[in-house]
């Protein structure tokens, strides 16, 4: 369903009303689309100064939720990958610190502040060239620890989908969340999500995890192969290329 929200956003961008504007030189912009008196969708647009292929490597669950991330990220107390379903698709667990931006987002957008020892379970999924070629789609789906079913939110985190695509030397990202009866005054006080994300990316790029990723020590690479046509004949052999 979360991937479908990304497709729906690209196919129909009518009916989105501006509700909030961030601060700084590159402020994020938030837009609201009302579905009913109780349900609406919030789309937040912001830019990140990094190449799309580098961003994809950084937010791969095997890298982004590496246990040593807590050594340099003040927003986390603990993080780890629990199960890898496929490349770019994993179940992870996170314990958040009392970070002001995360706490404000969770409180204003209907989240419930988690207790100090609460662990948030998240299904983290990346999909390239979706919903259109050249784009990247990232889904964070909160998981209920009792039923292990996907839910709209757990603790201060809410489920959502983010689309990223090149915009000149920058990446433009649109994060889409489903809201339930969030008042207008709360939407007007949304903190600058773009500034927070740029800070996370900058910290990551200067960390030991980015260096380990560059050396190939973490973030295993995968090659996906497919056979498009099979015919009777001799076996396939490598072709010698002339230098």
């Amino acid at each position: 369903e979360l991937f479908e929200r990304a497709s729906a956003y690209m196919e129909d961008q009518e009916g989105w009303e501006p509700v909030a504007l961030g601060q700084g030189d590159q402020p994020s912009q938030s837009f609201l689309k009302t579905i009913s008196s109780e349900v609406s969708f919030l789309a937040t647009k912001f830019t990140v100064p990094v190449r799309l292929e580098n961003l994809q490597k950084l937010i791969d669950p095997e890298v982004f939720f590496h246990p040593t991330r807590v050594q340099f990220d003040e927003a986390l107390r603990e993080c780890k990958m629990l199960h890898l379903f496929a490349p770019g698709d994993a179940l992870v667990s996170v314990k958040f610190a009392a970070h002001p931006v995360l706490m404000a987002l969770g409180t204003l957008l209907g989240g419930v502040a988690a207790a100090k020892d609460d662990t948030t379970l998240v299904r983290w999924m990346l999909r390239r060239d979706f919903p259109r070629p050249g784009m990247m789609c990232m889904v964070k789906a909160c998981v209920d620890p009792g039923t292990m079913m996907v839910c709209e939110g757990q603790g201060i985190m809410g489920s959502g989908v983010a689309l990223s695509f090149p915009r000149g030397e920058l990446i433009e990202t649109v994060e889409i969340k489903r809201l339930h009866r969030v008042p207008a005054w709360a939407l007007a006080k949304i903190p600058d999500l773009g500034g927070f994300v740029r800070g996370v990316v900058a910290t990551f790029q200067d960390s030991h995890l980015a260096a380990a990723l560059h050396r190939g020590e973490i973030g295993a690479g995968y090659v996906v192969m497919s056979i498009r046509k099979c015919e009777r004949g001799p076996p396939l052999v490598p072709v010698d290329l002339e230098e």
Side-chain angles (χ1 to χ4, degrees):
E1 180 185 355
L2 290 170
F3 281 115
E4 292 176 0
R5 292 179 190 177
S7 298
Y9 175 83
M10 294 302 300
E11 294 173 2
D12 182 12
Q13 298 186 18
E14 298 293 331
W16 293 89
E17 300 292 337
V19 293
L21 181 67
Q23 300 178 353
D25 297 332
Q26 299 175 333
S28 57
Q29 297 176 294
S30 296
F31 301 84
L32 188 72
K33 186 171 186 177
T34 302
I35 305 301
S36 67
S37 59
E38 295 189 351
V39 178
S40 57
F41 287 93
L42 181 71
T44 303
K45 298 181 179 181
F46 54 88
T47 57
V48 183
V50 64
R51 296 177 63 87
L52 186 61
E53 56 268 28
N54 293 337
L55 178 64
Q56 181 177 338
K57 293 176 182 178
L58 284 178
I59 65 174
D60 184 281
E62 297 179 71
V63 178
F64 202 61
F65 296 96
H66 196 278
T68 61
R69 177 181 168 185
V70 297
Q71 297 176 8
F72 60 86
D73 194 334
E74 62 181 8
L76 299 178
R77 294 173 46 245
E78 180 182 297
C79 67
K80 57 184 176 181
M81 188 174 66
L82 301 178
H83 182 75
L84 182 66
F85 297 98
D89 181 0
L91 177 68
V92 303
S93 68
V94 183
K95 288 185 178 181
F96 292 103
H99 191 279
V101 174
L102 295 180
M103 297 298 291
L105 285 171
T107 302
L108 293 172
L109 300 183
V112 179
K116 186 175 181 180
D117 294 329
D118 279 357
T119 298
T120 302
L121 299 182
V122 182
R123 181 78 178 266
W124 189 271
M125 295 171 282
L126 303 179
R127 190 170 177 181
R128 297 174 57 182
D129 293 322
F130 182 86
R132 295 179 181 176
M135 301 183 71
M136 180 183 69
C137 186
M138 184 274 289
V139 161
K140 54 175 182 178
C142 295
V143 177
D144 188 309
T147 63
M148 296 305 293
M149 300 293 291
V150 172
C151 57
E152 285 294 340
Q154 184 188 2
I156 63 174
M157 175 176 279
S159 296
V161 57
L163 302 172
S164 297
F165 50 92
R167 181 72 73 185
E169 297 297 322
L170 304 173
I171 289 176
E172 182 170 311
T173 296
V174 182
E175 183 181 69
I176 305 168
K177 285 187 175 183
R178 181 181 183 272
L179 305 182
H180 181 70
R181 301 180 66 179
V182 176
W185 66 263
L187 295 174
K189 295 182 178 294
I190 296 174
D192 190 356
L193 179 61
F196 174 73
V197 173
R198 286 190 291 271
V200 171
V201 172
T203 303
F204 238 103
Q205 290 178 319
D206 295 334
S207 71
H208 67 279
L209 285 181
L213 179 63
H214 181 73
R215 296 192 298 266
E217 297 174 359
I218 60 174
Y222 299 89
V223 177
V224 180
M225 303 181 65
S226 63
I227 299 177
R228 297 184 178 181
K229 185 178 181 182
C230 295
E231 292 184 351
R232 293 183 179 275
L236 299 176
V237 294
V239 176
D240 294 329
L241 300 178
E242 297 181 359
E243 296 184 359

